[in-house]
Amino acid sequence: MLAGELYLADDPEIAADALRSALLNETFNATSAADPEARRAALAELLGEVGEGTEIRPPLRVDYGHHITVGPRTFVNFGAVFLDVARITIGADVQMGPNVQLLTPTHPIDPEPRRAKWEAAQPITIGDNVWLGGGVIVCPGVSIGENTVVGAGAVVTKDLPANVVAVGNPARVIRRIGEGEAGPVTGPAAP
């Protein structure tokens, strides 16, 4: 599964891992805002790695959790969905608006293996200091370079280089950061 090869999700080992994750996800999502230590402990148990000073606001939905690493000082707003069938790597100082989706699963285009419930996945990598506006969807196999800003509602289907602004569906680069800026810097949507 982690190698990107076809697998069946109802495999008993995978199903047990998914149940473990679902229970930990419930625990994290039920934590009180008044108890940040309990929230942090639940998140650390759910995810593979959580950097110092990182904040992820519930609700959060993951497939397995332990395939996700999040760098220090990252902020993820409400409603994130991180389907970590393959590895998801989130860098340091990343900002994510509400309802961001990082989706690693893929399915065969051919109808017969899809009907037989075969699936696969490709990893996602989000570089340091990336800003994903509200509702951004990142598709399987995508890498986003450091300092890049992705506008609200964009669907990222292909890799984005470092230091650019990208918007739309599918997301396309509209400029390099530092080009054509006049006055105060504004972004895609408040994280």
Side-chain angles (χ1 to χ4, degrees):
M1 182 176 81
L2 288 173
E5 296 177 15
L6 289 173
Y7 71 96
L8 294 170
D10 62 357
D11 172 88
E13 184 179 343
I14 294 172
D17 201 14
L19 176 59
R20 170 207 158 274
S21 171
L23 295 171
L24 291 172
N25 222 150
E26 286 176 5
T27 299
F28 171 73
N29 287 330
T31 59
S32 170
D35 193 352
E37 292 81 19
R39 180 170 285 173
R40 175 78 181 179
L43 189 62
E45 191 173 356
L46 175 63
L47 302 184
E49 183 179 325
V50 181
E52 187 175 335
T54 286
E55 179 182 355
I56 299 178
R57 292 181 171 175
L60 168 69
R61 298 284 181 236
V62 302
D63 270 332
Y64 303 102
H66 56 86
H67 302 143
I68 300 169
T69 60
V70 184
R73 301 171 308 280
T74 287
F75 175 78
V76 178
N77 215 324
F78 306 108
V81 175
F82 297 164
L83 300 186
D84 62 317
V85 177
R87 297 204 184 283
I88 295 176
T89 305
I90 301 168
D93 302 301
V94 172
Q95 301 287 313
M96 293 188 193
N99 301 312
V100 166
Q101 298 178 50
L102 306 180
L103 311 175
T104 68
T106 64
H107 301 275
I109 299 297
D110 183 55
E112 291 310 313
R114 193 171 63 246
R115 184 174 286 116
K117 306 302 182 207
W118 287 100
E119 51 189 273
Q122 298 174 352
I124 291 174
T125 302
I126 309 297
D128 293 344
N129 203 34
V130 166
W131 180 9
L132 302 179
V136 167
I137 298 172
V138 180
C139 292
V142 167
S143 291
I144 299 176
E146 66 182 14
N147 303 318
T148 286
V149 176
V150 181
V155 178
V156 186
T157 61
K158 296 181 180 176
D159 290 354
L160 294 174
N163 302 303
V164 298
V165 176
V167 299
N169 179 6
R172 69 191 187 297
V173 174
I174 59 169
R175 70 176 168 89
R176 294 202 54 79
I177 292 177
E179 292 178 1
E181 291 180 8
V185 175
T186 58

